[in-house]
Every structure is written in C-alpha cells, then in structure tokens.
Amino acid sequence: MKDKIIHKSVDLFLNLGFKSVTMDDIANEMGISKKTIYVHFPNKTKLVETVTFTLFETICDGIDCICETSNNPIEELYAIKMFVMQHLKNEKTSPQHQLKKYYPQIFETLRLKQFEKMHESVGESLQKGVDTQLFRKDIDIDFISRMYFNGMTGIKDDSIFPQEQFNMEYLMESYLEYHLRAIVTDKGLTILNQFIKKNQS
C-alpha cells in the first residue's frame, strides 16, 4: 500500500503541484481513507519528502542505464534530457519552484543530492568525450560539470525564464546545445550538428 500511495502521489504532485494536492485528494483518487495514508506517513511533509527522494532515485537509476548504453557523450546528454522530461511530466507545474517555496528544507537536501549526482555523471561523461576526442582535451572537467549543474538549475528560475515566455523543452534543448558547442572538437561538432539536424527533421 505504501508504494501505491507514493506512486499516486508522484503523479498528482507533478501534474497539480505540491501545494495544491491535499491528503484528501490523494485518498479520494485512490479510493481509500485518509487514515490509511497516515498509517504510512505521519504528515504531508513526510509524504512530500518520500515522494521527492523516490523520484530522484528513479531518475538516477535511469540516467545510469543511459550512460552505460549510449553511443557517445553527446547523444547521452540528449537522451538524459528526454528521460528526465518524461519523468517530470515536462514540469507543467514547476515542481522545483513549489518545493523551494513551500518545503525549503526538502528542496535544499534534494538540490545537494542532485548536485552530487550530476557532478559525478557529467564529469564521467566529459571524460568519455575527451577520451574519444569529441570534447577538447584542455577542458577543465571539474569546472565545466559544476557550470553545467548551475546552468541546468538556473534555467528553472521562473524570475529569469518566465514560463509564459519559455517552455522547459526549449530551455533544456537550447542550454544543451550552448553547453556542447563550447566544448566540442571538430569531430564532436560534426556529430552534434548531425544529431540536431536528424532530430529536427
């Protein structure tokens, strides 16, 4: 039952927002009593925390699978972007923004976990790119992986990139291209251009 509650809550929180969804909403959607939810989660904050970190672990597992099977680090980054977008329902309700506003402690813990994961996986991806001569050999891997995280979190700032002006798909796509064009070799640029052309047609 606990897993079912988490699964349904992920769906509702991502579609309607952490603030909008009440324990009553979850109970009604599942056709169970609110008491049943409270058996597993003492309050909504605990449920939000569990849902947030469960979703994070799911996304991390998916990213690991993509990294193990990708053809090259350029396509890998685009595959990760698609995977994350699907899991976050294209961030219709700005879940990160709501989490930051209403559950700041959970948000900060998540942000640290995200940084640790992204710093490690982007670092490995950059090294793979250098080794396969797709990325310039003189890049500072530690610096660029930190900049990448900063940029990816920065585009989610609604005060800088208002949702009514920019959709998340466009922002992530544009940022990825911006990031890659800064570090690719001529060989990498050929692959990047081919990939963009193929996916736009």
Side-chain angles (χ1 to χ4, degrees), residues 172-185:
M172 287 183 87
E173 196 81 22
S174 302
Y175 181 68
L176 262 184
E177 188 177 340
Y178 172 80
H179 161 74
L180 286 166
R181 284 191 185 281
I183 60 172
V184 288
T185 57

Side-chain angles (χ1 to χ4, degrees), residues 13-175:
F13 287 146
L14 288 181
N15 279 304
L16 303 169
F18 287 106
K19 176 77 172 127
S20 319
V21 177
T22 64
M23 298 296 244
D24 283 314
D25 294 331
I26 297 163
N28 291 338
E29 277 284 324
M30 294 185 70
I32 59 174
S33 75
K34 202 159 64 169
K35 278 183 186 165
T36 307
I37 299 176
Y38 284 119
V39 167
H40 301 282
F41 303 98
N43 51 53
K44 186 181 168 186
T45 302
K46 195 69 196 165
L47 176 60
V48 168
E49 183 182 60
T50 306
V51 163
T52 301
F53 297 133
T54 301
L55 186 60
F56 172 74
E57 292 301 333
T58 302
I59 289 173
C60 285
D61 291 344
I63 288 172
D64 289 343
C65 286
I66 291 167
C67 293
E68 282 165 22
T69 57
S70 69
N71 293 324
N72 62 64
I74 293 171
E75 291 185 17
E76 183 180 292
L77 280 176
Y78 280 98
I80 288 170
K81 182 213 72 164
M82 288 301 297
F83 175 77
V84 171
M85 293 286 287
Q86 284 163 358
H87 264 79
L88 296 180
K89 317 283 185 193
N90 294 334
E91 307 206 64
K92 285 194 213 79
T93 55
S94 287
Q96 293 257 9
H97 175 69
Q98 289 204 4
L99 202 61
K100 186 178 183 179
K101 190 172 179 182
Y102 301 108
Y103 300 95
Q105 279 184 300
I106 298 172
F107 175 80
E108 278 308 317
T109 308
L110 176 66
R111 191 175 148 80
L112 280 172
K113 281 175 173 280
Q114 285 173 328
F115 170 70
E116 284 165 10
K117 177 65 185 172
M118 204 183 271
H119 188 242
E120 179 192 0
S121 66
V122 172
E124 287 170 5
S125 175
L126 289 168
Q127 188 59 58
K128 205 188 296 180
V130 171
D131 295 342
T132 52
Q133 297 173 338
L134 297 178
F135 299 158
R136 299 195 325 271
K137 66 174 185 292
D138 60 345
I139 60 171
D140 183 335
I141 288 174
D142 182 49
F143 171 75
I144 290 171
S145 64
R146 288 169 192 271
M147 284 296 289
Y148 183 77
F149 176 79
N150 210 38
M152 270 298 181
T153 48
I155 59 174
K156 292 174 184 170
D157 186 334
D158 202 52
S159 62
I160 299 171
F161 297 102
Q163 270 184 309
E164 56 276 10
Q165 199 176 336
F166 302 96
N167 73 51
M168 191 48 69
E169 174 81 25
Y170 170 79
L171 286 172
M172 287 183 87
E173 196 81 22
S174 302
Y175 181 68

Side-chain angles (χ1 to χ4, degrees), residues 186-197:
D186 289 343
K187 180 182 170 186
L189 185 60
T190 302
I191 289 174
L192 176 61
N193 285 335
Q194 284 170 347
F195 184 81
I196 291 170
K197 194 176 173 187

